[in-house]
Amino acid sequence: LQAFKSVTMRDIATEANLSLALLTYHFGSKVELLHAVFEHRESYIADRLAALEQAKKDKKNPKALEAIVTAFVQLRAHPDSEHFMRLVARQVMGGGEEAQAILHQHFDPLARAFIDAIHELMPKSDRGRVAACYIFALGSLLNSTVDDRLEKLSDSAISTDHPELLEPLLVTFITAGIRSAMALPNAKRPSK
C-alpha cells in the first residue's frame, strides 16, 4: 500500500480493474472513497464496542483488564482484516490531514470508549497515562499486523499465517504494559 497522498484514483481504478469513470461515478474523490471504505468496516468497530461492553460487565473479575484488552485486539482476527488494518496503520502513520480526519471520525469514539473502560476499571489512574497506554497498545496492534518480519526474526517459531495465535501473546503484552504503567509513581509536570 502506498501513502494516501501518492495514490491517484487512476491507480486505484487500474488496481481494481475498473474504469476511472466508473470509480469516480460511484465514489467521487479519493477522500470519498476512503470514507466509503471506513463506513463499510463500521461493523468491525461495532463488534469491538459490543465486546468491550461485555468485558466491562464484571469489574470485580481479576481478569477484567485482559477482557478489555482482548476486545481491543479482536479486530486483528476478523476475516479479511489484514488489508484493512494495513490501511488503518498507513493512515495513522501519515495519511495526511484528510485521512486523519476520517480516522478521527471513525476511530476516536472507539479509542475514547477503551480509554474510559480502563480508567473506570482503574479509577485511581491518571487519564493521561491511560490515554498514552492506549496509543502504545494501538501501536503494538497495528505493528503486529503490518510488520511481516516476525516470522523471519523468530526463525519461523511464530507463523504470521495464523494471526489468531498471536492474540493471546498480544493481550498478555498489552495488559502487562498497562498494569506496569499504572504502577509507576506519578511524574510531576515540568513547570513552564
Side-chain angles (χ1 to χ4, degrees):
L1 291 172
Q2 297 176 6
F4 180 74
K5 291 178 191 177
S6 65
V7 175
T8 66
M9 286 294 274
R10 185 171 305 284
D11 295 333
I12 296 167
T14 301
E15 185 69 24
N17 200 24
L18 297 170
S19 74
L20 178 60
L22 183 64
L23 184 64
T24 56
Y25 174 79
H26 285 287
F27 296 105
S29 71
K30 187 169 57 169
V31 173
E32 290 169 309
L33 176 60
L34 191 58
H35 266 288
V37 168
F38 279 88
E39 286 168 7
H40 178 70
R41 300 294 179 155
E42 284 291 323
S43 64
Y44 286 0
I45 294 171
D47 289 349
R48 289 174 80 194
L49 287 171
L52 175 61
E53 286 306 312
Q54 188 65 35
K56 286 173 35 178
K57 285 185 177 179
D58 188 8
K59 291 180 185 173
K60 295 185 186 212
N61 175 359
K63 298 264 185 192
L65 182 59
E66 285 85 347
I68 290 169
V69 173
T70 299
F72 172 72
V73 301
Q74 269 185 344
L75 180 59
R76 191 179 193 291
H78 273 283
D80 191 36
S81 67
E82 179 185 349
H83 298 296
F84 179 63
M85 291 295 287
R86 286 178 182 271
L87 176 67
V88 171
R90 299 278 194 261
Q91 301 320 307
V92 166
M93 302 304 178
E97 260 183 61
E98 294 165 326
Q100 289 294 316
I102 293 168
L103 283 174
H104 292 307
Q105 174 188 342
H106 291 278
F107 282 93
D108 280 6
L110 179 68
R112 289 185 180 282
F114 277 99
I115 292 166
D116 290 346
I118 295 168
H119 197 241
E120 288 168 17
L121 185 64
M122 304 172 151
K124 293 181 181 178
S125 61
D126 175 73
R127 184 171 175 89
R129 193 176 290 184
V130 174
C133 285
Y134 174 84
I135 294 298
F136 301 156
L138 180 62
S140 295
L141 175 65
L142 293 176
N143 199 52
S144 71
T145 303
V146 300
D147 191 339
D148 60 0
R149 296 178 304 151
L150 180 58
E151 192 163 351
K152 292 173 193 157
L153 291 173
S154 71
D155 297 327
S156 298
I158 297 177
S159 171
T160 53
D161 291 338
H162 300 284
E164 71 280 358
L165 299 177
L166 292 176
E167 186 176 305
L169 181 59
L170 191 57
V171 168
T172 300
F173 179 80
I174 292 171
T175 302
I178 293 170
R179 283 201 174 105
S180 295
M182 294 310 138
L184 289 171
N186 286 330
K188 293 184 179 178
R189 293 181 187 218
S191 55
K192 293 183 180 183

